[in-house]
Amino acid sequence: MRATSVIVRFLSLLDVTLILLGVLMVTLMHAEMHRERGKQKSSTQEVAELADVEFIYLYAGWNGAENGRCYLYTNGKKGPEISQTNPNAIQQVIEESKKRKGSVNYVVLLLFADDGWFAAWDAKKLAQLEETWKVKIVPVYNARLTRRNQR
């Protein structure tokens, strides 16, 4: 058997090998791009940690006895009522959060459920709450809160 016939036999195998190597490289490059894109997306908690911000969620009551009342909203559940007349009510929540997480910047978010009717929560009431609590309140309308978590 001559050397040229051996080389000719393996040339077809070399083409297949190069094609498979190219497909493998494209697949790895595609996977790497998706992995980097996934790293760029981050949750609100990660963003909050980077900015040293702690979000305090409050639920704006609207139905029945809850109408016009404000509740602490943690872990997807409505918690205790927060007094709207006591200036120290929200400060106590902030202090508890400081003890747990040690953050220095706090953002108070007032969540309005997407299925609610908020006639009791007008701009005057929000301004009065800000004045009483001495904190800026950010209203979040149409928040998707499930009904089972509100009770």
Side-chain angles (χ1 to χ4, degrees), residues 19-86:
I19 289 172
L20 289 175
L21 183 63
V23 168
L24 179 65
M25 288 175 59
V26 168
T27 305
L28 289 175
M29 185 177 65
H30 184 71
E32 181 69 23
M33 288 173 54
H34 279 286
R35 188 172 62 127
E36 288 176 4
R37 191 179 305 154
K39 284 182 181 178
Q40 292 173 353
K41 295 179 183 176
S42 60
S43 69
T44 56
Q45 287 294 43
E46 291 172 350
V47 173
E49 288 174 8
L50 287 174
D52 198 23
V53 171
E54 177 71 24
F55 293 111
I56 297 175
Y57 300 99
L58 301 176
Y59 168 71
W62 66 275
N63 192 9
E66 296 177 349
N67 192 16
R69 294 186 178 183
C70 188
Y71 299 91
L72 189 61
Y73 191 79
T74 54
N75 299 328
K77 295 180 182 174
K78 184 182 76 169
E81 182 178 358
I82 303 295
S83 172
Q84 298 175 24
T85 57
N86 182 2

Side-chain angles (χ1 to χ4, degrees), residues 84-98:
Q84 298 175 24
T85 57
N86 182 2
N88 296 326
I90 199 71
Q91 294 302 325
Q92 290 173 349
V93 174
I94 290 173
E95 289 302 320
E96 288 174 13
S97 184
K98 276 185 185 178

